[in-house]
Amino acid sequence: MGVYQIKNTVTGKLFIGSSLDLPGKLNSNRFQLSMKSHHNKELQADWNLYGSDAFTFEVLENINPEKIAQESWRNAVAELEEKWLDTLQPYGDKGYNPPAKPLAAANNTL
């Protein structure tokens, strides 16, 4: 479990994600992209444009499940993903991730 990136080697754009099952998630992303059914439409469009050879799939950081209580795995993975999103800022021209919603706007419901 941990955090991964999908990198467009032509544009340098990144997609950052996380999973409790990294091999399965990376395989799922490859399959969805090859079937033209990935949930991230911008990533899918670039995959269609540049082809599979223009993308790399890489694990950025693993979490050792033996060092964390099982009930904390999801939180640990989410925190690690947030760290990588903060570090790499894969938004707009730099990536495929949607920008995080500001807390003030998210909590401002009338």
Side-chain angles (χ1 to χ4, degrees):
M1 64 182 159
V3 177
Y4 66 91
Q5 77 175 6
I6 302 171
K7 182 175 185 177
N8 181 329
T9 60
V10 175
T11 66
K13 290 178 82 168
L14 302 173
F15 177 78
I16 305 299
S18 63
S19 179
L20 297 178
D21 176 12
L22 285 171
K25 189 64 169 182
L26 291 171
N27 187 47
S28 174
N29 275 286
R30 280 188 191 95
F31 179 76
Q32 290 174 25
L33 288 163
S34 68
M35 297 303 293
K36 300 183 180 179
S37 64
H38 198 275
H39 70 277
N40 187 298
K41 301 305 178 201
E42 187 180 358
L43 174 59
Q44 183 67 65
D46 280 358
W47 179 277
N48 298 345
L49 178 65
Y50 298 113
S52 62
D53 290 341
F55 291 83
T56 61
F57 294 74
E58 178 183 359
V59 173
L60 294 175
E61 191 169 350
N62 286 298
I63 295 175
N64 184 342
E66 296 174 5
K67 294 187 177 187
I68 299 172
Q70 186 173 356
E71 60 271 10
S72 299
W73 287 357
R74 288 191 190 283
N75 286 342
V77 168
E79 288 174 13
L80 190 61
E81 180 177 4
E82 195 62 38
K83 176 191 105 171
W84 280 99
L85 289 169
D86 288 345
T87 300
L88 297 175
Q89 297 287 309
Y91 313 114
D93 292 340
K94 292 174 61 180
Y96 300 103
N97 292 78
K101 295 178 183 170
L103 288 178
N107 291 329
N108 190 12
T109 56
L110 298 174

PDB file of all heavy atoms in Angstrom, residues 6-30:
ATOM      1  N   ILE A   6       1.263   8.364 -12.226  1.00  0.00           N
ATOM      2  CA  ILE A   6       1.247   8.080 -13.655  1.00  0.00           C
ATOM      3  C   ILE A   6       1.797   9.339 -14.295  1.00  0.00           C
ATOM      4  O   ILE A   6       1.280  10.431 -14.075  1.00  0.00           O
ATOM      5  CB  ILE A   6      -0.171   7.770 -14.168  1.00  0.00           C
ATOM      6  CG1 ILE A   6      -0.759   6.577 -13.424  1.00  0.00           C
ATOM      7  CG2 ILE A   6      -0.132   7.516 -15.676  1.00  0.00           C
ATOM      8  CD1 ILE A   6      -2.238   6.331 -13.716  1.00  0.00           C
ATOM      9  N   LYS A   7       2.868   9.196 -15.060  1.00  0.00           N
ATOM     10  CA  LYS A   7       3.536  10.362 -15.640  1.00  0.00           C
ATOM     11  C   LYS A   7       3.458  10.329 -17.158  1.00  0.00           C
ATOM     12  O   LYS A   7       3.775   9.318 -17.779  1.00  0.00           O
ATOM     13  CB  LYS A   7       4.995  10.420 -15.211  1.00  0.00           C
ATOM     14  CG  LYS A   7       5.736  11.637 -15.742  1.00  0.00           C
ATOM     15  CD  LYS A   7       7.135  11.715 -15.202  1.00  0.00           C
ATOM     16  CE  LYS A   7       7.801  12.999 -15.664  1.00  0.00           C
ATOM     17  NZ  LYS A   7       9.148  13.132 -15.095  1.00  0.00           N
ATOM     18  N   ASN A   8       3.047  11.446 -17.716  1.00  0.00           N
ATOM     19  CA  ASN A   8       3.081  11.639 -19.162  1.00  0.00           C
ATOM     20  C   ASN A   8       4.492  12.127 -19.483  1.00  0.00           C
ATOM     21  O   ASN A   8       4.868  13.244 -19.109  1.00  0.00           O
ATOM     22  CB  ASN A   8       2.027  12.677 -19.565  1.00  0.00           C
ATOM     23  CG  ASN A   8       1.983  12.928 -21.051  1.00  0.00           C
ATOM     24  OD1 ASN A   8       2.978  12.837 -21.737  1.00  0.00           O
ATOM     25  ND2 ASN A   8       0.803  13.269 -21.542  1.00  0.00           N
ATOM     26  N   THR A   9       5.287  11.310 -20.159  1.00  0.00           N
ATOM     27  CA  THR A   9       6.682  11.657 -20.415  1.00  0.00           C
ATOM     28  C   THR A   9       6.833  12.694 -21.530  1.00  0.00           C
ATOM     29  O   THR A   9       7.898  13.261 -21.687  1.00  0.00           O
ATOM     30  CB  THR A   9       7.502  10.400 -20.770  1.00  0.00           C
ATOM     31  OG1 THR A   9       6.956   9.787 -21.943  1.00  0.00           O
ATOM     32  CG2 THR A   9       7.505   9.403 -19.615  1.00  0.00           C
ATOM     33  N   VAL A  10       5.768  12.961 -22.267  1.00  0.00           N
ATOM     34  CA  VAL A  10       5.802  13.987 -23.310  1.00  0.00           C
ATOM     35  C   VAL A  10       5.578  15.368 -22.703  1.00  0.00           C
ATOM     36  O   VAL A  10       6.324  16.309 -22.969  1.00  0.00           O
ATOM     37  CB  VAL A  10       4.753  13.703 -24.413  1.00  0.00           C
ATOM     38  CG1 VAL A  10       4.708  14.825 -25.436  1.00  0.00           C
ATOM     39  CG2 VAL A  10       5.027  12.366 -25.095  1.00  0.00           C
ATOM     40  N   THR A  11       4.559  15.484 -21.864  1.00  0.00           N
ATOM     41  CA  THR A  11       4.192  16.783 -21.291  1.00  0.00           C
ATOM     42  C   THR A  11       4.726  16.996 -19.883  1.00  0.00           C
ATOM     43  O   THR A  11       4.753  18.115 -19.396  1.00  0.00           O
ATOM     44  CB  THR A  11       2.663  16.932 -21.241  1.00  0.00           C
ATOM     45  OG1 THR A  11       2.135  15.973 -20.312  1.00  0.00           O
ATOM     46  CG2 THR A  11       2.035  16.747 -22.606  1.00  0.00           C
ATOM     47  N   GLY A  12       5.103  15.912 -19.204  1.00  0.00           N
ATOM     48  CA  GLY A  12       5.561  15.996 -17.824  1.00  0.00           C
ATOM     49  C   GLY A  12       4.429  16.026 -16.806  1.00  0.00           C
ATOM     50  O   GLY A  12       4.676  16.092 -15.603  1.00  0.00           O
ATOM     51  N   LYS A  13       3.185  15.970 -17.269  1.00  0.00           N
ATOM     52  CA  LYS A  13       2.051  16.020 -16.356  1.00  0.00           C
ATOM     53  C   LYS A  13       1.949  14.731 -15.541  1.00  0.00           C
ATOM     54  O   LYS A  13       2.268  13.647 -16.034  1.00  0.00           O
ATOM     55  CB  LYS A  13       0.760  16.250 -17.131  1.00  0.00           C
ATOM     56  CG  LYS A  13       0.659  17.648 -17.711  1.00  0.00           C
ATOM     57  CD  LYS A  13      -0.595  17.849 -18.520  1.00  0.00           C
ATOM     58  CE  LYS A  13      -1.751  18.155 -17.606  1.00  0.00           C
ATOM     59  NZ  LYS A  13      -2.940  18.649 -18.331  1.00  0.00           N
ATOM     60  N   LEU A  14       1.476  14.876 -14.294  1.00  0.00           N
ATOM     61  CA  LEU A  14       1.398  13.759 -13.356  1.00  0.00           C
ATOM     62  C   LEU A  14      -0.028  13.526 -12.887  1.00  0.00           C
ATOM     63  O   LEU A  14      -0.805  14.463 -12.756  1.00  0.00           O
ATOM     64  CB  LEU A  14       2.236  14.064 -12.104  1.00  0.00           C
ATOM     65  CG  LEU A  14       3.711  14.369 -12.284  1.00  0.00           C
ATOM     66  CD1 LEU A  14       4.304  14.803 -10.952  1.00  0.00           C
ATOM     67  CD2 LEU A  14       4.435  13.164 -12.833  1.00  0.00           C
ATOM     68  N   PHE A  15      -0.312  12.272 -12.603  1.00  0.00           N
ATOM     69  CA  PHE A  15      -1.512  11.900 -11.864  1.00  0.00           C
ATOM     70  C   PHE A  15      -1.032  11.171 -10.622  1.00  0.00           C
ATOM     71  O   PHE A  15      -0.290  10.194 -10.716  1.00  0.00           O
ATOM     72  CB  PHE A  15      -2.423  10.986 -12.688  1.00  0.00           C
ATOM     73  CG  PHE A  15      -3.634  10.527 -11.937  1.00  0.00           C
ATOM     74  CD1 PHE A  15      -4.725  11.365 -11.773  1.00  0.00           C
ATOM     75  CD2 PHE A  15      -3.682   9.269 -11.367  1.00  0.00           C
ATOM     76  CE1 PHE A  15      -5.844  10.954 -11.057  1.00  0.00           C
ATOM     77  CE2 PHE A  15      -4.789   8.840 -10.655  1.00  0.00           C
ATOM     78  CZ  PHE A  15      -5.875   9.691 -10.501  1.00  0.00           C
ATOM     79  N   ILE A  16      -1.446  11.645  -9.453  1.00  0.00           N
ATOM     80  CA  ILE A  16      -1.049  11.045  -8.187  1.00  0.00           C
ATOM     81  C   ILE A  16      -2.261  10.329  -7.601  1.00  0.00           C
ATOM     82  O   ILE A  16      -3.364  10.870  -7.581  1.00  0.00           O
ATOM     83  CB  ILE A  16      -0.555  12.115  -7.191  1.00  0.00           C
ATOM     84  CG1 ILE A  16       0.577  12.952  -7.778  1.00  0.00           C
ATOM     85  CG2 ILE A  16      -0.143  11.468  -5.859  1.00  0.00           C
ATOM     86  CD1 ILE A  16       1.819  12.188  -8.141  1.00  0.00           C
ATOM     87  N   GLY A  17      -2.044   9.114  -7.130  1.00  0.00           N
ATOM     88  CA  GLY A  17      -3.107   8.344  -6.495  1.00  0.00           C
ATOM     89  C   GLY A  17      -2.536   7.486  -5.388  1.00  0.00           C
ATOM     90  O   GLY A  17      -1.320   7.424  -5.187  1.00  0.00           O
ATOM     91  N   SER A  18      -3.423   6.818  -4.674  1.00  0.00           N
ATOM     92  CA  SER A  18      -2.985   5.951  -3.582  1.00  0.00           C
ATOM     93  C   SER A  18      -3.898   4.744  -3.512  1.00  0.00           C
ATOM     94  O   SER A  18      -5.003   4.745  -4.061  1.00  0.00           O
ATOM     95  CB  SER A  18      -3.017   6.704  -2.247  1.00  0.00           C
ATOM     96  OG  SER A  18      -4.344   7.084  -1.927  1.00  0.00           O
ATOM     97  N   SER A  19      -3.421   3.711  -2.838  1.00  0.00           N
ATOM     98  CA  SER A  19      -4.212   2.492  -2.716  1.00  0.00           C
ATOM     99  C   SER A  19      -3.666   1.614  -1.602  1.00  0.00           C
ATOM    100  O   SER A  19      -2.473   1.680  -1.272  1.00  0.00           O
ATOM    101  CB  SER A  19      -4.181   1.715  -4.034  1.00  0.00           C
ATOM    102  OG  SER A  19      -4.919   0.514  -3.936  1.00  0.00           O
ATOM    103  N   LEU A  20      -4.543   0.786  -1.068  1.00  0.00           N
ATOM    104  CA  LEU A  20      -4.106  -0.250  -0.141  1.00  0.00           C
ATOM    105  C   LEU A  20      -3.489  -1.418  -0.901  1.00  0.00           C
ATOM    106  O   LEU A  20      -2.793  -2.242  -0.317  1.00  0.00           O
ATOM    107  CB  LEU A  20      -5.290  -0.743   0.700  1.00  0.00           C
ATOM    108  CG  LEU A  20      -5.938   0.291   1.615  1.00  0.00           C
ATOM    109  CD1 LEU A  20      -7.133  -0.319   2.341  1.00  0.00           C
ATOM    110  CD2 LEU A  20      -4.937   0.833   2.617  1.00  0.00           C
ATOM    111  N   ASP A  21      -3.736  -1.482  -2.215  1.00  0.00           N
ATOM    112  CA  ASP A  21      -3.220  -2.539  -3.090  1.00  0.00           C
ATOM    113  C   ASP A  21      -2.599  -1.893  -4.324  1.00  0.00           C
ATOM    114  O   ASP A  21      -3.259  -1.740  -5.343  1.00  0.00           O
ATOM    115  CB  ASP A  21      -4.361  -3.487  -3.482  1.00  0.00           C
ATOM    116  CG  ASP A  21      -3.942  -4.562  -4.478  1.00  0.00           C
ATOM    117  OD1 ASP A  21      -2.727  -4.742  -4.710  1.00  0.00           O
ATOM    118  OD2 ASP A  21      -4.839  -5.215  -5.032  1.00  0.00           O
ATOM    119  N   LEU A  22      -1.342  -1.475  -4.203  1.00  0.00           N
ATOM    120  CA  LEU A  22      -0.691  -0.761  -5.302  1.00  0.00           C
ATOM    121  C   LEU A  22      -0.611  -1.559  -6.604  1.00  0.00           C
ATOM    122  O   LEU A  22      -0.973  -1.036  -7.657  1.00  0.00           O
ATOM    123  CB  LEU A  22       0.702  -0.282  -4.885  1.00  0.00           C
ATOM    124  CG  LEU A  22       0.712   0.921  -3.959  1.00  0.00           C
ATOM    125  CD1 LEU A  22       2.119   1.181  -3.440  1.00  0.00           C
ATOM    126  CD2 LEU A  22       0.173   2.149  -4.659  1.00  0.00           C
ATOM    127  N   PRO A  23      -0.164  -2.823  -6.581  1.00  0.00           N
ATOM    128  CA  PRO A  23      -0.112  -3.556  -7.856  1.00  0.00           C
ATOM    129  C   PRO A  23      -1.487  -3.644  -8.524  1.00  0.00           C
ATOM    130  O   PRO A  23      -1.605  -3.456  -9.739  1.00  0.00           O
ATOM    131  CB  PRO A  23       0.416  -4.940  -7.464  1.00  0.00           C
ATOM    132  CG  PRO A  23       1.164  -4.710  -6.190  1.00  0.00           C
ATOM    133  CD  PRO A  23       0.407  -3.622  -5.479  1.00  0.00           C
ATOM    134  N   GLY A  24      -2.515  -3.901  -7.743  1.00  0.00           N
ATOM    135  CA  GLY A  24      -3.860  -3.993  -8.287  1.00  0.00           C
ATOM    136  C   GLY A  24      -4.348  -2.666  -8.847  1.00  0.00           C
ATOM    137  O   GLY A  24      -4.969  -2.608  -9.904  1.00  0.00           O
ATOM    138  N   LYS A  25      -4.064  -1.575  -8.138  1.00  0.00           N
ATOM    139  CA  LYS A  25      -4.504  -0.248  -8.577  1.00  0.00           C
ATOM    140  C   LYS A  25      -3.784   0.180  -9.851  1.00  0.00           C
ATOM    141  O   LYS A  25      -4.403   0.749 -10.759  1.00  0.00           O
ATOM    142  CB  LYS A  25      -4.281   0.776  -7.462  1.00  0.00           C
ATOM    143  CG  LYS A  25      -4.887   2.114  -7.746  1.00  0.00           C
ATOM    144  CD  LYS A  25      -6.405   2.019  -7.829  1.00  0.00           C
ATOM    145  CE  LYS A  25      -7.037   3.391  -7.856  1.00  0.00           C
ATOM    146  NZ  LYS A  25      -8.499   3.322  -7.882  1.00  0.00           N
ATOM    147  N   LEU A  26      -2.487  -0.080  -9.928  1.00  0.00           N
ATOM    148  CA  LEU A  26      -1.748   0.269 -11.142  1.00  0.00           C
ATOM    149  C   LEU A  26      -2.263  -0.541 -12.327  1.00  0.00           C
ATOM    150  O   LEU A  26      -2.446  -0.003 -13.425  1.00  0.00           O
ATOM    151  CB  LEU A  26      -0.245   0.067 -10.929  1.00  0.00           C
ATOM    152  CG  LEU A  26       0.401   1.062  -9.966  1.00  0.00           C
ATOM    153  CD1 LEU A  26       1.830   0.654  -9.655  1.00  0.00           C
ATOM    154  CD2 LEU A  26       0.348   2.472 -10.513  1.00  0.00           C
ATOM    155  N   ASN A  27      -2.522  -1.817 -12.110  1.00  0.00           N
ATOM    156  CA  ASN A  27      -3.074  -2.665 -13.163  1.00  0.00           C
ATOM    157  C   ASN A  27      -4.451  -2.158 -13.587  1.00  0.00           C
ATOM    158  O   ASN A  27      -4.768  -2.105 -14.775  1.00  0.00           O
ATOM    159  CB  ASN A  27      -3.139  -4.110 -12.696  1.00  0.00           C
ATOM    160  CG  ASN A  27      -3.531  -5.055 -13.797  1.00  0.00           C
ATOM    161  OD1 ASN A  27      -2.989  -4.989 -14.895  1.00  0.00           O
ATOM    162  ND2 ASN A  27      -4.476  -5.935 -13.515  1.00  0.00           N
ATOM    163  N   SER A  28      -5.272  -1.770 -12.637  1.00  0.00           N
ATOM    164  CA  SER A  28      -6.604  -1.245 -12.918  1.00  0.00           C
ATOM    165  C   SER A  28      -6.533   0.037 -13.740  1.00  0.00           C
ATOM    166  O   SER A  28      -7.282   0.217 -14.707  1.00  0.00           O
ATOM    167  CB  SER A  28      -7.347  -0.983 -11.605  1.00  0.00           C
ATOM    168  OG  SER A  28      -8.579  -0.344 -11.843  1.00  0.00           O
ATOM    169  N   ASN A  29      -5.607   0.926 -13.385  1.00  0.00           N
ATOM    170  CA  ASN A  29      -5.440   2.165 -14.151  1.00  0.00           C
ATOM    171  C   ASN A  29      -5.017   1.875 -15.586  1.00  0.00           C
ATOM    172  O   ASN A  29      -5.558   2.454 -16.527  1.00  0.00           O
ATOM    173  CB  ASN A  29      -4.403   3.077 -13.484  1.00  0.00           C
ATOM    174  CG  ASN A  29      -4.993   3.938 -12.406  1.00  0.00           C
ATOM    175  OD1 ASN A  29      -5.698   4.898 -12.681  1.00  0.00           O
ATOM    176  ND2 ASN A  29      -4.702   3.605 -11.160  1.00  0.00           N
ATOM    177  N   ARG A  30      -4.055   0.971 -15.762  1.00  0.00           N
ATOM    178  CA  ARG A  30      -3.616   0.606 -17.122  1.00  0.00           C
ATOM    179  C   ARG A  30      -4.781   0.037 -17.937  1.00  0.00           C
ATOM    180  O   ARG A  30      -4.968   0.388 -19.100  1.00  0.00           O
ATOM    181  CB  ARG A  30      -2.492  -0.433 -17.063  1.00  0.00           C
ATOM    182  CG  ARG A  30      -1.151   0.116 -16.766  1.00  0.00           C
ATOM    183  CD  ARG A  30      -0.079  -0.981 -16.932  1.00  0.00           C
ATOM    184  NE  ARG A  30       1.176  -0.535 -16.407  1.00  0.00           N
ATOM    185  CZ  ARG A  30       1.628  -0.782 -15.184  1.00  0.00           C
ATOM    186  NH1 ARG A  30       0.928  -1.510 -14.340  1.00  0.00           N
ATOM    187  NH2 ARG A  30       2.791  -0.321 -14.787  1.00  0.00           N
TER     188      ARG A  30
END
